[in-house]
Amino acid sequence: AAAATTIDVETTSGDISITTDVDSNIDADSSIAGDIVIVAALSEDVVANTTGAGTVTVTAKGNAITTVAKTATINVVESDTTATDISVTGTGTADSVTINLGDDATVTNAAANAVETITVNATAAAVVTVDTTAATTYVGDANTTFAGNEAMFDGKTVTGAAEVQITTLDTSDLTD
């Protein structure tokens, strides 16, 4: 197979828009809170970072998607059996990410500047495992199962999801 094309774009003065119909490793960085839009349905490795109130929208195959944004929308076009790994980081407070997908995924919420609201819209049954840092609010739909250790969900708001699977319990919550 041919090697993926590399697309590396940085801006200090505006927004970034990338559209490609070939498998590309994409890295887009805005240092001025610019908005980033990436449409790359065949791309497996996408990184999009902005600052302040900047927004990120990524449509990609999604074996690895990383975003830093106040508001991010991630559309996963999964057409193989490789798991989708999504890493999200906010830029301050009240950060949010909306993930649209049709298969299982792992969402790593950053330890520093964690995203406060994670919304998942699944077109088919999907287990979305959350790790590293808990969000404050999780919103799912009838196809969405959120999974993770108890710390990801203890005292948090979860709405709309089909279920929550706790993979590890805190023994202090158990009684004899």
Side-chain angles (χ1 to χ4, degrees), residues 74-130:
I74 299 170
N75 304 303
V76 179
V77 182
E78 183 62 61
S79 62
D80 64 19
T81 58
T82 303
T84 299
D85 291 316
I86 300 169
S87 297
V88 295
T89 304
T91 60
T93 59
D95 303 311
S96 65
V97 62
T98 299
I99 302 167
N100 303 303
L101 48 71
D103 203 356
D104 299 346
T106 298
V107 176
T108 301
N109 197 9
N113 271 336
V115 170
E116 286 79 17
T117 302
I118 297 174
T119 301
V120 175
N121 301 305
T123 59
V127 176
V128 177
T129 303
V130 181

Side-chain angles (χ1 to χ4, degrees), residues 10 12 34 48 65 69-70 140 143:
E10 296 181 31
T12 58
I65 299 173
K70 176 77 174 167
N143 289 321

